[in-house]
Amino acid sequence: MRPKSIAWNYFDKTSEKTALCRLCGTHIKTCGNTTNLNCHLKSKHSDVLQTPVPGSAEGKIRLLYTEWPSINVVQVTEEDETAANLLSEAAVNLIPEPQEQQPPPQDPGPSTPHPQIPQTPVHQDMIARTLRRVHTFKETVSESNRITQAIVYMICKDSEPFNIVELPGFIDLLNTLAPQYEIPTRKSIKNSVIEKYYQLSNVMREKLVNKKCTLTTEVWADDQRQSYLSLTVHFYDLEDVLFSGTLGVLPLEETHTGENLADQLRQWCRDWGIRMETDHVMAVVTDSGASVKKAVEVAFGEKKHIPCFAHNLNFVVEKCLEIDSVSTLVTKAKDIVAWFKQSLAASEELRKLDERKLIRSVAGRWISTFHMLQRLLELQPHIGNVLARHPGSPPMLTDAELEDVTEVLAILDPFESATQLISGEHYLSSSMVIPIASLILDKLEKLHPSRDIPKGVLAKAVSGMKKKFGRIEHVFLLAIATVLDPRFKKLYFRDPTALSKQITFLSNKLKKGGTESAKGNDLSASVCESEDIQKPSRDLFSDHNNIVQKTWQQREESPYLNMPQELSMYLGAPPEKIEENPLRFWKQMEATYPNLTSVARRYLTTVATCVPADWLFSKAGEIKSRSRNRITGKLLPKLLFLQSIDDRLWGV
């Protein structure tokens, strides 16, 4: 194997400790290095050298440039400080200036032959790459941390298993992109995730200080029958308008009694710095589960409990779909869809006729059943033709059954629009509950189905709405939020008594001259410019602006006496258009309604659904997948918390 140093081009090794100079025949001592050899060449034969003397700083740079394939830049250590300095200077001008051609040395004669010095061409692209790698090496620590944090982000946001760092494809990718990066082990990356959790959880605690917030909670069990109590928080934040954060889930080790769940909720509030003895928790939203409802009443008080509006809507629709005649129609539709999904030939025939695909119904999700029937009606001419060409296919719905389906979908349509609207995580949903319930009843009362099955569905829907939402206007938090929403005010109240209570409350509040503390709840200009805070469905509120105009033309003098001027002016003005952003309105009108604005800040940001808790369970199911089924109850809340954190907080 060729020696590494160019000095050996002029010497022959005669023993372990000596070498013979080819130029003068002198024996030079060497003890495993070329220091003496380089000194001999410099003192005795400098006149024959056309390149820097091997062993000098300049020579080391030439070695680095010309012998790139065999030299790793990481080998530049403190021993080569001089060479490293010269290498940094070389970065100023990678392309050397042209030099004058040196005349060849004279031939000293046959007695002292001079061997030809091998010349290796210098490649400038190699120089540039060398300098970049040296620069990267100087910043190895910070670059390594940045890559590690990117891996932590990917694992948390994409629900990836920790052992992804041990998979060959992932390792090859990182070795290609960052060859000098040392890939962490599964245990190391897990510790980095936990460290990130504690870092960002402290940020969340700081955000929650002195904030009026709403909690949503629900009980859920995974595939191993381990039960969890969901915990999400919603509050108005200076940066994010209506901020929703997943604080994770708590594993339940005891029976799910109301008292046990209440203890868990109290402990959670203590851990996150939420003071239950103050009025920081405005409301707690749950589904209709008796144990969860009892837990909220025990821990926070009955007045702070709000039943989930979306769950109650689902309950009404599910009761309609449980009617025997309707269930039969749904079963026939499911059989047709399932047959197409199983038959490749039939699916291909249908695809050639229409690119739209049939939709399957998912158990426990009535909206999927609604969309399945809707798509079936849209494709029914093509479906009938395909079914007729296949003898073993299920029977197509008859014309009478198709008419029944059409009228049933017309009844369920306002429920579908309402569910999509109220399920938004960044909507001011509390002020929309009463208007939506009123609009659904209005639309149902205007329907006049012609067939028996739809008539039964309509009767069931109306009775269910009155049972679940007959007293909704007497729920204080929902009613006061509706009055303070400039788009609705008094418009959708059906019960004059309920409306009178809210106006009396606001009147007394303003007469006392007390204003709600605005600390941490300032409606900054940047906040109010958000376009995502409120986007109501045009289907459900399509007649809102017409109703406003009609009501304003028929207005009467207010029956409320001794009303504060702010409240009188606010209620006397017409409601705003449905496109108006309520938070922007109160920011713009703060000078006109200073006291009323402070009250609106407190009550408008209450949410009315526990849909974020359902979303949490869906994400938990993704995290506890088959490849991650060993994740413990202590780690799962941390992963869910990190997954929900806004991307802007990850750089903290």
Side-chain angles (χ1 to χ4, degrees):
M1 181 181 294
R2 179 187 173 187
K4 294 182 179 180
S5 176
I6 294 180
W8 289 106
N9 288 312
Y10 307 98
F11 290 87
D12 292 323
K13 196 172 183 67
T14 57
S15 67
E16 289 294 325
K17 296 185 178 181
T18 59
L20 177 66
C21 178
R22 297 177 184 176
L23 301 178
C24 63
T26 304
H27 288 273
I28 305 298
K29 290 185 178 181
T30 174
C31 299
N33 58 58
T34 59
T35 302
N36 292 341
L37 306 185
N38 291 329
C39 291
H40 176 77
L41 289 172
K42 183 176 181 180
S43 61
K44 302 296 182 182
H45 307 293
S46 60
D47 57 329
V48 299
L49 296 179
Q50 297 181 0
T51 60
V53 178
S56 67
E58 296 87 348
K60 289 189 177 183
I61 294 177
R62 180 168 182 81
L63 283 176
L64 189 60
Y65 290 169
T66 59
E67 297 185 359
W68 166 260
S70 61
I71 296 181
N72 191 333
V73 74
V74 177
Q75 296 175 354
V76 181
T77 62
E78 294 179 357
E79 298 177 357
D80 302 304
E81 181 179 359
T82 304
N85 292 335
L86 289 173
L87 184 58
S88 300
E89 295 174 2
V92 178
N93 188 0
L94 295 179
I95 302 177
E97 297 180 358
Q99 299 180 359
E100 298 182 0
Q101 185 69 26
Q102 298 292 333
Q106 298 181 356
D107 188 356
S111 59
T112 55
H114 300 288
Q116 184 67 29
I117 301 174
Q119 298 292 329
T120 305
V122 177
H123 301 288
Q124 296 303 327
D125 60 329
M126 293 295 186
I127 297 175
R129 262 186 288 171
T130 301
L131 294 174
R132 284 196 299 268
R133 293 195 176 214
V134 169
H135 178 71
T136 302
F137 177 70
K138 292 178 180 178
E139 299 181 356
T140 298
V141 176
S142 60
E143 182 71 9
S144 177
N145 290 337
R146 190 180 68 84
I147 297 174
T148 300
Q149 290 304 312
I151 297 174
V152 169
Y153 177 88
M154 180 193 67
I155 289 176
C156 295
K157 289 293 183 178
D158 298 341
S159 301
E160 296 290 349
F162 293 122
N163 67 351
I164 192 175
V165 297
E166 300 174 350
L167 300 181
F170 184 81
I171 293 174
D172 180 69
L173 174 65
L174 282 186
N175 286 338
T176 302
L177 298 177
Q180 297 179 0
Y181 176 67
E182 183 178 354
I183 301 176
T185 63
R186 176 168 55 182
K187 183 177 180 180
S188 177
I189 202 67
K190 177 181 176 181
N191 291 335
S192 297
V193 169
I194 296 175
E195 180 181 352
K196 193 68 177 180
Y197 165 78
Y198 286 115
Q199 179 187 11
L200 294 185
S201 62
N202 289 332
V203 176
M204 176 63 79
R205 288 186 180 89
E206 293 176 0
K207 281 183 169 290
L208 285 170
V209 174
N210 296 326
K211 294 293 193 306
K212 305 292 185 182
C213 63
T214 303
L215 307 179
T216 59
T217 180
E218 197 172 354
V219 175
W220 164 82
D222 62 15
D223 294 339
Q224 285 81 37
R225 307 311 301 167
Q226 169 65 56
S227 297
Y228 299 91
L229 181 67
S230 71
L231 303 164
T232 60
V233 64
H234 314 268
F235 57 92
Y236 183 80
D237 186 76
L238 286 174
E239 299 176 355
D240 302 318
V241 188
L242 188 60
F243 183 86
S244 297
T246 299
L247 302 182
V249 295
L250 294 177
L252 300 176
E253 306 296 341
E254 301 179 2
T255 56
H256 305 167
T257 64
E259 289 74 14
N260 290 336
L261 295 182
D263 291 339
Q264 293 283 359
L265 290 174
R266 293 191 188 99
Q267 181 61 46
W268 168 73
C269 288
R270 286 192 291 267
D271 292 342
W272 287 96
I274 298 176
R275 293 176 292 176
M276 299 176 61
E277 65 275 7
T278 64
D279 204 18
H280 284 180
V281 179
M282 295 295 300
V284 185
V285 185
T286 74
D287 62 2
S288 57
S291 59
V292 179
K293 181 179 178 181
K294 179 66 175 178
V296 172
E297 293 175 354
V298 171
F300 300 95
E302 184 177 359
K303 292 184 178 180
K304 291 192 176 182
H305 175 258
I306 296 180
C308 176
F309 182 58
H311 277 79
N312 285 335
L313 281 180
N314 290 345
F315 177 84
V316 174
V317 177
E318 287 170 358
K319 290 299 181 181
C320 294
L321 296 178
E322 289 176 0
I323 298 174
D324 292 340
S325 55
V326 178
S327 179
T328 301
L329 288 175
V330 172
T331 301
K332 292 185 68 173
K334 286 182 178 179
D335 292 341
I336 294 173
V337 173
W339 181 81
F340 271 96
K341 296 295 184 181
Q342 295 170 1
S343 175
L344 295 178
S347 297
E348 182 63 19
E349 291 180 31
L350 184 61
R351 187 190 65 80
K352 292 179 180 179
L353 296 172
D354 198 304
E355 290 292 335
R356 291 174 293 180
K357 297 180 180 180
L358 293 173
I359 300 174
R360 276 186 170 177
S361 176
V362 180
R365 297 181 182 272
W366 73 265
I367 288 186
S368 65
T369 303
F370 177 89
H371 292 153
M372 178 191 70
L373 295 174
Q374 195 176 54
R375 182 59 55 84
L376 191 67
L377 283 180
E378 295 170 353
L379 301 180
Q380 62 91 10
H382 302 315
I383 293 174
N385 293 334
V386 175
L387 292 177
R389 291 195 292 267
H390 294 267
S393 62
M396 181 58 181
L397 297 178
T398 64
D399 292 341
E401 290 173 332
L402 290 173
E403 188 175 350
D404 286 337
V405 171
T406 301
E407 293 189 348
V408 168
L409 289 180
I411 297 170
L412 300 183
D413 182 70
F415 291 93
E416 192 270 346
S417 298
T419 302
Q420 297 290 353
L421 174 60
I422 206 69
S423 298
E425 190 172 335
H426 298 287
Y427 293 155
L428 302 182
S429 55
S430 60
S431 64
M432 304 182 71
V433 172
I434 292 175
I436 288 176
S438 178
L439 286 171
I440 291 177
L441 280 173
D442 286 342
K443 291 182 179 295
L444 292 179
E445 291 170 355
K446 294 177 181 179
L447 293 175
H448 302 286
S450 60
R451 299 184 58 81
D452 292 338
I453 293 178
K455 287 180 180 179
V457 174
L458 179 60
K460 193 76 170 178
V462 172
S463 63
M465 284 295 298
K466 291 181 178 180
K467 178 180 179 181
K468 285 292 183 179
F469 304 108
R471 300 282 299 172
I472 195 70
E473 296 178 9
H474 292 271
V475 178
F476 169 74
L477 291 173
L478 301 181
I480 196 67
T482 304
V483 174
L484 291 172
D485 192 318
R487 301 166 300 174
F488 307 135
K489 298 184 180 180
K490 305 179 294 181
L491 195 60
Y492 292 102
F493 279 87
R494 290 172 168 244
D495 188 343
T497 304
L499 175 61
S500 177
K501 288 182 179 179
Q502 308 313 316
I503 294 179
T504 301
F505 170 81
L506 291 174
S507 180
N508 293 335
K509 192 80 173 176
L510 297 180
K511 285 179 180 179
K512 292 179 181 178
T515 60
E516 301 295 333
S517 173
K519 184 177 181 181
N521 289 307
D522 180 33
L523 292 169
S524 64
S526 61
V527 166
C528 294
E529 291 303 317
S530 172
E531 296 297 332
D532 297 327
I533 184 66
Q534 194 74 26
K535 293 183 179 179
S537 168
R538 292 297 301 167
D539 293 334
L540 198 60
F541 286 96
S542 57
D543 295 330
H544 173 81
N545 295 339
N546 293 333
I547 295 174
V548 170
Q549 186 177 4
K550 182 179 179 180
T551 305
W552 177 247
Q553 293 173 350
Q554 299 175 355
R555 69 188 185 280
E556 299 177 356
E557 293 296 330
S558 174
Y560 305 103
L561 302 177
N562 300 323
M563 186 180 297
Q565 184 178 6
E566 279 189 37
L567 186 58
S568 178
M569 291 173 57
Y570 170 72
L571 295 178
E576 299 293 326
K577 293 183 178 181
I578 195 64
E579 296 83 7
E580 178 62 72
N581 185 326
L583 298 179
R584 181 185 294 114
F585 170 86
W586 286 110
K587 174 61 180 179
Q588 295 172 346
M589 302 301 293
E590 187 171 9
T592 305
Y593 310 122
N595 296 324
L596 200 57
T597 297
S598 64
V599 179
R601 287 170 177 164
R602 175 175 182 177
Y603 292 106
L604 265 181
T605 55
T606 305
V607 300
T609 73
C610 54
V611 170
D614 292 338
W615 171 88
L616 182 63
F617 297 149
S618 177
K619 292 299 181 182
E622 294 178 8
I623 291 176
K624 293 206 68 174
S625 60
R626 182 173 300 180
S627 60
R628 313 181 81 189
N629 56 11
R630 292 185 295 172
I631 289 181
T632 62
K634 292 183 178 180
L635 183 58
L636 181 60
K638 295 179 174 63
L639 292 173
L640 287 169
F641 171 81
L642 292 174
Q643 190 174 60
S644 72
I645 285 296
D646 190 277
D647 288 351
R648 287 169 290 180
L649 297 181
W650 275 83
V652 176

